[in-house]
Amino acid sequence: MTDYRLDHIALLVRDLDETADFLTRVLGIRAIANPMGGTAIRWFEIGSGQRFHVQAGDISRTHVEKRTHFALSSPDLDATLRHFEALGIAYSDMAGTPGAVNVRPDGMRAVFLQDPNGYWFEINDFRPDA
């Protein structure tokens, strides 16, 4: 059996600048240097070496729904929600109730929001070591 590790995820986006602004300003994700050089792809890093990149292209045939999402855990979900509210960023629970927080039976809280391309992001307070 091969011992895989996640190297990176790639997303196709409409506009690199608009998406980079959302990822850095709204979600607070750190932009990193493009390891391949150039400006056609933007790279980002979450936590300790977890990377993904975005590149511009035609997303008209990309099927997006909430069940297919990019999930991130926040160390302080309440502060994150205040940040979204201060920026006027809409979020909801899984059912789509504006401003509501989803609560799983195990107590994990989460909200869902969309980036400018329509991709869904879940922001939760999951603590695997708690």
Side-chain angles (χ1 to χ4, degrees):
M1 190 75 168
T2 302
D3 187 18
Y4 289 110
R5 70 172 186 82
L6 181 64
D7 180 69
H8 73 273
I9 295 169
L11 294 175
L12 190 63
V13 301
R14 237 184 343 259
D15 182 294
L16 284 174
D17 292 333
E18 178 184 49
T19 301
D21 178 65
F22 177 84
L23 294 171
T24 58
R25 186 177 58 84
V26 175
L27 295 183
I29 296 173
R30 186 168 66 94
I32 61 173
N34 181 348
M36 298 177 295
T39 58
I41 296 175
R42 304 272 181 91
W43 282 82
F44 301 88
E45 186 172 87
I46 304 165
S48 57
Q50 301 162 355
R51 303 176 304 162
F52 69 98
H53 68 75
V54 297
Q55 59 194 46
D58 179 6
I59 65 170
S60 65
R61 296 186 323 168
T62 302
H63 176 76
V64 177
E65 60 183 76
K66 195 180 285 186
R67 292 181 300 169
T68 304
H69 57 267
F70 199 116
L72 303 171
S73 292
S74 170
D76 186 342
L77 184 61
D78 294 320
T80 299
L81 297 180
R82 287 191 299 273
H83 172 70
F84 293 161
E85 291 162 0
L87 294 176
I89 301 298
Y91 62 86
S92 69
D93 60 8
M94 186 62 166
T97 307
V101 177
N102 199 73
V103 181
R104 290 191 334 197
D106 65 1
M108 186 196 82
R109 300 178 310 141
V111 298
F112 295 83
L113 62 151
Q114 286 183 291
D115 81 348
N117 303 282
Y119 292 118
W120 284 97
F121 283 79
E122 171 187 333
I123 311 298
N124 63 49
D125 62 358
F126 178 65
R127 301 282 185 276
D129 54 330

